Amino acid sequence: MKKTILIIGLCFIIFANGFSQTRDNYKDPKDSKFVFMTTIGVAGGIGDIEIPNRTIKNRLFAIQVNQLLAYQFNQNFFMGVNLGMDFWRYTAFIPVSLNLSVNFTKTKIAPHWYANMGYSFKWYMNQTPEKNTKVIHGANPGPFVETGLGINIKVSEKVSLLILGTYKMQHSNIKYSVSDPNEPDNSEYFTNSEKEHHYHFAGVKFGILY
């Protein structure tokens, strides 16, 4: 928890410093304003998960919904606070993060990049292990980082559409059972062990900036 607070504090310092410097440097005052962005995305797990005596393929599927409140310093740069919901099959998180977003050009269709860094709080979790893998994924809250690259399509003076390829790393725990040959196998019903794990996802997001 102390590490998470330190990370969020450092992000806040970076945010404040960027706000101070950019406020003095932007050239077109009419582009300086508060903006909102709503995104919805899907992502699939990538990589393997190593637990004692076996390896599990990361077959997780996530639906991601996010709402961003940001300050646009100019047409190329905005920063803000992002609140979302991540739905896995048997669990869900509420991620809160700082956001940095960049449009690389001022054209109607501009390359766009963003980064989020924050902490995912638990919303709910199924207490019963999955039938196929006999584990519980995402058992704990934890920090995360996310980034994405795509295009920003300006449809009017006030509205843009975004299409983004994304990557996300969520730190959490996986729960599993270590069987005892002298005891009945109850791994379908409960777990007796857990370990920390970085869950990796790749996906796509669609958003509207207004």
Side-chain angles (χ1 to χ4, degrees):
M1 179 61 72
K2 290 183 179 179
K3 291 182 178 179
T4 302
I5 295 173
L6 179 60
I7 291 172
I8 294 175
L10 289 174
C11 291
F12 179 80
I13 293 172
I14 293 171
F15 177 90
N17 185 60
F19 178 92
S20 177
Q21 292 181 4
T22 309
R23 180 185 57 189
D24 296 332
N25 293 333
Y26 73 82
K27 297 181 180 180
D28 193 348
K30 69 183 179 62
D31 293 326
S32 178
K33 59 184 177 181
F34 283 100
V35 295
F36 302 89
M37 183 164 66
T38 304
T39 61
I40 183 168
V42 293
I46 54 177
D48 296 331
I49 303 170
E50 301 286 345
I51 60 175
N53 301 321
R54 60 186 174 127
T55 300
I56 300 173
K57 293 290 185 181
N58 185 356
R59 304 298 188 191
L60 295 171
F61 178 78
I63 298 175
Q64 304 164 333
V65 181
N66 289 274
Q67 180 63 50
L68 173 70
L69 167 61
Y71 189 81
Q72 177 178 295
F73 302 98
N74 52 46
Q75 293 184 32
N76 297 96
F77 178 77
F78 56 91
M79 298 180 70
V81 179
N82 195 58
L83 175 65
M85 292 181 290
D86 277 16
F87 301 94
W88 300 8
R89 185 175 181 183
Y90 296 106
T91 188
F93 294 90
I94 301 176
V96 180
S97 63
L98 296 178
N99 168 274
L100 166 65
S101 298
V102 179
N103 292 320
F104 290 101
T105 67
K106 295 183 179 181
T107 55
K108 184 175 181 180
I109 300 178
H112 181 89
W113 170 81
Y114 80 90
N116 292 329
M117 179 180 290
Y119 193 85
S120 291
F121 299 91
K122 288 296 296 183
W123 184 7
Y124 69 84
M125 181 184 73
N126 186 13
Q127 300 295 330
T128 304
E130 298 179 10
K131 291 183 179 180
N132 294 332
T133 61
K134 298 181 181 179
V135 302
I136 299 174
H137 289 291
N140 294 72
F144 76 93
V145 292
E146 181 181 19
T147 187
L149 182 66
I151 56 173
N152 182 319
I153 305 171
K154 192 172 183 179
V155 297
S156 72
E157 287 298 319
K158 296 183 178 181
V159 178
S160 295
L161 301 178
L162 294 96
I163 304 173
L164 303 160
T166 64
Y167 162 78
K168 183 172 184 176
M169 188 282 292
Q170 174 66 61
H171 179 79
S172 186
N173 282 29
I174 179 172
K175 292 187 175 183
Y176 58 93
S177 290
V178 176
S179 60
D180 185 339
N182 300 316
E183 297 289 339
D185 183 7
N186 295 312
S187 58
E188 294 184 3
Y189 308 104
F190 61 83
T191 60
N192 58 24
S193 303
E194 67 178 286
K195 65 175 291 188
E196 296 183 2
H197 181 70
H198 295 302
Y199 289 92
H200 301 276
F201 294 89
V204 62
K205 278 189 176 182
F206 303 92
I208 179 169
L209 178 68
Y210 51 97

